[in-house]
Amino acid sequence: MGMGLEERVRSAVAALLHAAGESQTGLAAALGVSQAQVSRRQSGTAAWSLADCDAVAAHYGIDVLDLLAGPTRAAEALPAGRRRVPGHRGNTQRPVAVEGGAR
């Protein structure tokens, strides 16, 4: 037998976080909840409600049915503009030295 609905939603959220290059903290801020609440939902200690699923889907720009369908379909539905750029980890570059430097 396949995954249950709760496990499918947790897996889909994990896939979206990865595909978008977003952290639980970023998702939590977008949903107006704490990172701990997202963590509890992702660990299975708490469940994602239907309202949560609707908010997650809206945040990622996908249909809620794609989220409920599981990780593969959710990740495939993620708009290209929301996908992380491979090898890009945000602004982690060191400032470029200016010749002569500051005085």
Side-chain angles (χ1 to χ4, degrees):
M1 183 157 167
M3 283 188 235
L5 182 58
E6 288 185 21
E7 185 179 351
R8 205 172 355 187
V9 170
R10 285 193 305 272
S11 295
V13 171
L16 289 166
L17 286 167
H18 178 75
E22 187 172 35
S23 66
Q24 286 186 357
T25 303
L27 177 59
L31 300 179
V33 300
S34 70
Q35 183 276 328
Q37 288 173 300
V38 170
S39 179
R40 283 192 294 274
R41 291 172 182 145
Q42 282 302 95
S43 70
T45 305
W48 288 101
S49 70
L50 290 176
D52 293 332
C53 290
D54 197 38
V56 168
H59 172 67
Y60 286 112
I62 66 172
D63 190 281
V64 72
L65 294 177
D66 291 324
L67 177 71
L68 297 176
T72 301
R73 188 144 150 214
E76 289 172 349
L78 187 66
R82 290 300 314 269
R83 295 182 184 279
R84 68 183 168 96
V85 177
H88 180 54
R89 295 184 179 265
N91 189 12
T92 59
Q93 293 181 330
R94 300 175 90 183
V96 175
V98 176
E99 191 172 324
R103 295 183 195 250

